[in-house]
Amino acid sequence: MKTQKFQTGRVTLVAFSHFIHDVYTSFLAPLLPLIIEKLSLTLTQAGLLSTVMQIPALLNPFIGLFADNKGLARWLVILTPTVTAIFMSLILSASSYYVLLVLLFLAGISVAAYHVPTPVLVAKYSGDRKGRGMSIFMTGGESARTVGPMFAVAAVSFLGADHFYVVMGFAMLTSVLLYFTLEKEEQKTSIKRNGSLKAAFHEIKHVLIPLSGILSVRSFMHASMGVFLTVFVERETGSLWLGGAALALYEGFGVAGVLCAGTFSDWLGRQRVLFWVLMVAPFAILVFVFSTGILKIIMLAITGFTVLSTTPVMLAIIQENAKLNPSAANGLFMMVSFAARSIAVVLAGIIGDVAGLENMFIVSALIGFGAIPFLLKLDH
């Protein structure tokens, strides 16, 4: 695609598919208190659930390479929302912890197959405004994680755990819609038919290495808030609804963050935007833990805005530096991102079991400050 014009319709269409897909991937956190109670899980076991779902991310570079060489982005975008929805809609029907692990692992494979090629399509449709394109794309995902928790809680309240699987129908309808509306020429978006992972790594290593450091330390903040916030609020208030509302507020301001950060980075520079959000996020978490009332709500909102806003900026950096192997390069980035977060979730769960959830948030925030040295080494 040689044009540099921003193709609003196509970017929005892919972002919509991101929204539908990620509504289902957001089910685990709000339903975690019910799963913990049903299967009598420890926090460490609960943290492992997210990790198992992230394990297929190790395949991301290979999925990206395959998408580059075969041009399968269109079919992955069409099919994976339904595949992910099937497994995520069955998690409350799992008869044992091990069945639940299998469901989440299979869902994780579908999640990986979706998230690797789609940012490449967005980058191509965004022309010179890749930050804006990534912000719109990520807004779809973050909007899903805002709507998803409340949708999941409402669905289980009205349908019951035994019939929760009915919600998978929305994804199936979406896949049909995408099949008839997503341009077939997207099958030809591959720009390199014989790429390699080695070539992709060498092409982006000057930005991937420092970004990996940022992802590793940011993942503790991301994991603690995204996975254990509902459990923390539910244990403090005794209300699953308040837990879901807190996660929805966090994700809602995350939507604003991702929508602003990528666009602002087009104007102000990627590193400058990353610096401010990475500095503010740990402070906001610490104040959230130690405050009460309206201040606690405000800090939760600021945390969502800053912690979640870094992804579109980093995706834009990767795509600006990956000219020959864009999907494979994005696969490498996504592998690091998911692996870092999955490890952080388990470690955060262990800290929560040993020292309590409040101390888990404090430790995650302190680790978060470690992102700044890596940012200073970013050569973009």
Side-chain angles (χ1 to χ4, degrees):
M1 188 171 300
K2 297 180 180 180
T3 179
Q4 297 300 305
K5 181 180 178 181
F6 188 88
Q7 302 180 50
T8 305
R10 288 186 172 184
V11 171
T12 303
L13 184 61
V14 178
F16 174 73
S17 74
H18 195 193
F19 170 79
I20 295 298
H21 179 275
D22 281 16
V23 160
Y24 293 92
T25 62
S26 71
F27 284 177
L28 180 58
L31 299 180
L32 195 55
L34 296 179
I35 294 172
I36 290 174
E37 181 180 359
K38 177 183 178 181
L39 301 179
S40 301
L41 306 183
T42 65
L43 288 177
T44 301
Q45 287 177 309
L48 184 61
L49 294 176
S50 180
T51 299
V52 167
M53 192 172 174
Q54 305 299 332
I55 288 176
L58 296 174
L59 300 174
N60 279 349
F62 301 98
I63 293 173
L65 185 63
F66 189 63
D68 277 338
N69 293 341
K70 301 298 182 181
L72 294 176
R74 175 176 178 267
W75 281 108
L76 290 175
V77 172
I78 290 172
L79 295 176
T80 49
T82 290
V83 176
T84 298
I86 289 173
F87 296 120
M88 293 304 298
S89 298
L90 293 174
I91 60 176
L92 289 181
S93 301
S95 57
S96 70
Y97 182 61
Y98 298 104
V99 171
L100 181 60
L101 290 177
V102 171
L103 288 173
L104 292 173
F105 180 77
L106 294 175
I109 294 175
S110 180
V111 169
Y114 176 84
H115 282 98
V116 171
T118 42
V120 179
L121 291 183
V122 172
K124 292 176 181 178
Y125 298 155
S126 299
D128 293 329
R129 290 183 283 177
K130 289 181 173 58
R132 179 186 177 190
M134 293 304 172
S135 280
I136 294 174
F137 170 69
M138 290 303 299
T139 296
E142 295 305 332
S143 297
R145 283 184 282 278
T146 302
V147 174
M150 299 308 293
F151 174 72
V153 172
V156 77
S157 298
F158 288 108
L159 296 173
D162 292 339
H163 296 90
F164 184 72
Y165 62 86
V166 172
V167 299
M168 72 176 67
F170 292 105
M172 295 178 178
L173 291 174
T174 300
S175 289
V176 173
L177 174 64
L178 289 171
Y179 176 78
F180 287 108
T181 59
L182 198 60
E183 295 82 358
K184 292 185 178 181
E185 65 182 65
E186 291 181 10
Q187 291 176 301
K188 302 178 182 179
T189 56
S190 129
I191 61 174
K192 187 176 180 65
R193 297 285 179 176
N194 57 353
S196 69
L197 294 181
K198 182 178 179 181
F201 174 75
H202 282 293
E203 189 177 21
I204 63 165
K205 67 178 180 180
H206 62 291
V207 294
L208 181 62
I209 292 174
L211 286 179
S212 297
I214 294 173
L215 287 170
S216 296
V217 296
R218 189 208 66 164
S219 63
F220 281 88
M221 298 186 293
H222 197 286
S224 61
M225 296 300 296
V227 176
F228 294 108
L229 178 61
T230 52
V231 180
F232 178 67
V233 174
E234 191 269 341
R235 289 186 177 182
E236 281 200 335
T237 65
S239 171
L240 180 62
W241 275 99
L242 285 179
L247 185 60
L249 177 67
Y250 169 78
E251 295 286 356
F253 276 86
V255 171
V258 299
L259 186 59
C260 294
T263 302
F264 286 162
S265 71
D266 283 339
W267 304 336
L268 304 175
R270 314 289 187 214
Q271 287 170 284
R272 185 174 299 176
V273 171
L274 285 177
F275 175 80
W276 283 108
V277 297
L278 291 171
M279 281 294 295
V280 172
F283 279 115
I285 293 177
L286 291 174
V287 178
F288 165 76
V289 171
F290 292 110
S291 61
T292 58
I294 188 65
L295 180 59
K296 198 177 192 74
I297 296 174
I298 292 173
M299 287 301 106
L300 179 60
I302 293 175
T303 299
F305 187 92
T306 53
V307 170
L308 299 175
S309 65
T310 57
T311 302
V313 183
M314 291 190 283
L315 284 173
I317 291 174
I318 290 294
Q319 288 304 304
E320 285 172 340
N321 288 273
K323 305 299 183 183
L324 301 177
N325 304 275
S327 293
N330 190 59
L332 289 169
F333 171 78
M334 297 301 290
M335 179 185 70
V336 173
S337 177
F338 284 129
R341 185 170 182 265
S342 63
I343 294 172
V345 168
V346 174
L347 295 178
I350 293 174
I351 295 172
D353 281 331
V354 173
L357 286 174
E358 184 175 288
N359 288 324
M360 179 195 70
F361 287 123
I362 294 172
V363 171
S364 297
L366 294 177
I367 293 174
F369 285 112
I372 301 303
F374 291 107
L375 178 62
L376 297 177
K377 295 180 180 180
L378 183 63
D379 180 20
H380 174 54

